[in-house]
Amino acid sequence: MSQLFDTVALIGIGLIGSSISHATRRAGLARRIVGAAKTEATRATALRLGLVDEVFANPADAVKEADLVILCVPVRACGPVAAEISKSLKPGAILTDVGSVKGSVVADVGPHVPAGVHFVPGHPIAGTEHSGPEAGFAELFDGRWCVLTPPPGADNAAVDRLRSYWKGLGSNVEIMAPDHHDMVLAITSHVPHLIAFNIVNTAAHLERVTESEVIKFSAGGFRDFTRIAASDPTMWRDVFLTNRTAMIEMLGRFTEDLLHLQRAMRFGDGETLFRMITEARHIRRGIIEAGQDTAAPDFGRHQGGSAAPATGQKS
Ligand code: NAP
């Protein structure tokens, strides 16, 4: 694919920012990539790995010449960062983000977008439990979905250009309303993460099961929960706070269904249990058939915490 932008600015250079950099370079989508990160350690790593051609402590300095600005920071940092960069954005630039919740980003960033700048929020539905600038890799978005939530009246040319960029990064692209995105992601990602954090803590708090037993016998399903529960606390705190309306609705439904299973167990209702397990199994097959995971016994994930192949559906 050919170059789509002259300068891309990545505000935040963690897992997602660094993966965007690798994939942008792989496809030659930009002449120059600049970045901004909060800590000196991240800025130094980003330069050392060649993720950016130039790096800044102040996001406003990074966006000055950019024709595409991507906010790759935790969801609740998007509003404050938008306020900081607002006056430095170049007229005609596209401003987007990768936040896992869209309603709150639209509400927090929207008021800071100056006239002449095209704001098109986005969310790549791809990730791993690793974070930081060394966690990224070019293949993260390959074959995954990226959801764009352009506001009503958004500039069609800007939306098309951003769509082409995400396709160049390897993604499929879908357009959605922010509220719909947040409801879908609540059940497919946000509630499952909450459940993973909770079940791992429940096991850890059990007085009669020692920590070594939890680790030793973890293969039986628990291990996959621990992988998800290794995810970044700042990112997930922000997701749980900003998507709480949709998540509380989904948690209500989840709790009702869980009680239904518990009741079937209490009354020895094997027929109900068998039916519900069969239905769930069918969904798993559908995900594999849709190319969104692999049927390999370890879900295609390498042992030992290597980030590269762990392209699970996250956030
Ligand atoms: P990450 O690896 O933890 O990186 C976050 C980056 O944001 C770091 O460069 C960090 O700088 C910077 N940052 C943090 N707080 C900041 C603040 N208050 N102001 C300015 N910069 C700040 O996180 P990530 O996984 O890339 O996630 C970034 C975004 O992508 C989040 O909105 C998340 O919801 C979304 N997302 C994540 C995933 C996933 O699976 N991880 C998937 C899709 C979308 P320092 O390193 O200097 O602290």
Side-chain angles (χ1 to χ4, degrees):
M1 180 167 269
S2 55
Q3 187 184 307
L4 283 172
F5 294 99
D6 181 80
T7 302
V8 171
L10 302 171
I11 310 303
I13 319 170
L15 168 71
I16 301 297
S18 62
S19 296
I20 290 176
S21 168
H22 287 298
T24 299
R25 295 221 198 271
R26 178 183 68 174
L29 298 171
R31 184 184 66 81
R32 196 163 163 263
I33 303 175
V34 298
K38 217 171 39 157
T39 62
E40 174 53 35
T42 297
R43 294 196 291 274
T45 306
L47 278 179
R48 178 172 55 79
L49 298 177
L51 298 170
V52 290
D53 300 301
E54 206 175 347
V55 75
F56 301 87
N58 182 351
D61 293 330
V63 304
K64 277 181 188 147
E65 289 167 15
D67 27 27
L68 174 64
V69 175
I70 312 177
L71 307 181
C72 306
V73 296
V75 171
R76 288 199 313 165
C78 287
V81 168
E84 274 184 73
I85 63 174
S86 173
K87 290 198 172 72
S88 307
L89 290 164
K90 200 168 93 167
I94 297 174
L95 172 65
T96 187
D97 75 300
V98 296
S100 306
V101 180
K102 296 279 48 91
S104 75
V105 170
V106 170
D108 297 349
V109 173
H112 300 292
V113 182
V117 169
H118 307 295
F119 176 42
V120 185
H123 175 209
I125 304 175
T128 76
E129 66 278 25
H130 303 288
S131 47
E134 295 188 83
F137 52 99
E139 300 78 19
L140 179 65
F141 310 112
D142 288 351
R144 304 294 174 204
W145 286 94
C146 179
V147 175
L148 300 181
T149 63
D155 182 69
N156 284 336
V159 177
D160 284 347
R161 216 162 150 214
L162 190 61
R163 184 204 301 263
S164 301
Y165 181 71
W166 274 106
K167 285 191 169 169
L169 296 179
S171 287
N172 307 312
V173 178
E174 183 126 332
I175 305 280
M176 257 184 216
D179 289 0
H180 187 69
H181 166 278
D182 291 353
M183 190 191 68
V184 172
L185 268 291
I187 194 62
T188 57
S189 171
H190 304 167
V191 166
H193 274 79
L194 190 81
I195 291 166
F197 291 124
N198 191 52
I199 201 165
V200 170
N201 284 334
T202 302
H205 295 160
L206 281 178
E207 278 169 24
R208 293 178 58 204
V209 179
T210 66
E211 200 177 309
S212 64
E213 280 174 312
V214 168
I215 292 164
K216 187 171 163 188
F217 300 116
S218 68
F222 183 72
R223 189 189 56 177
D224 292 323
F225 281 114
T226 62
R227 185 186 67 77
I228 296 173
S231 300
D232 185 70
T234 304
M235 170 186 160
W236 284 100
R237 179 205 57 199
D238 282 14
V239 169
F240 296 159
L241 289 176
T242 53
N243 200 21
R244 62 182 160 206
T245 307
M247 282 188 70
I248 287 168
E249 164 66 19
M250 293 306 160
L251 275 170
R253 288 168 183 251
F254 172 81
T255 311
E256 285 166 22
D257 289 343
L258 191 64
L259 286 175
H260 188 54
L261 276 174
Q262 185 176 312
R263 188 178 161 80
M265 284 164 63
R266 185 185 305 283
F267 291 103
D269 179 359
E271 207 177 300
T272 296
L273 292 170
F274 190 86
R275 182 174 40 79
M276 293 188 78
I277 296 164
T278 305
E279 282 171 14
R281 218 174 162 213
H282 187 69
I283 297 280
R284 170 79 195 149
R285 281 204 204 108
I287 290 170
I288 293 164
E289 277 161 25
Q292 296 300 303
D293 208 344
T294 152
D298 66 350
F299 302 101
R301 291 170 189 116
H302 282 195
Q303 304 294 317
S306 156
T311 52
Q313 290 291 297
K314 296 254 308 184
S315 72

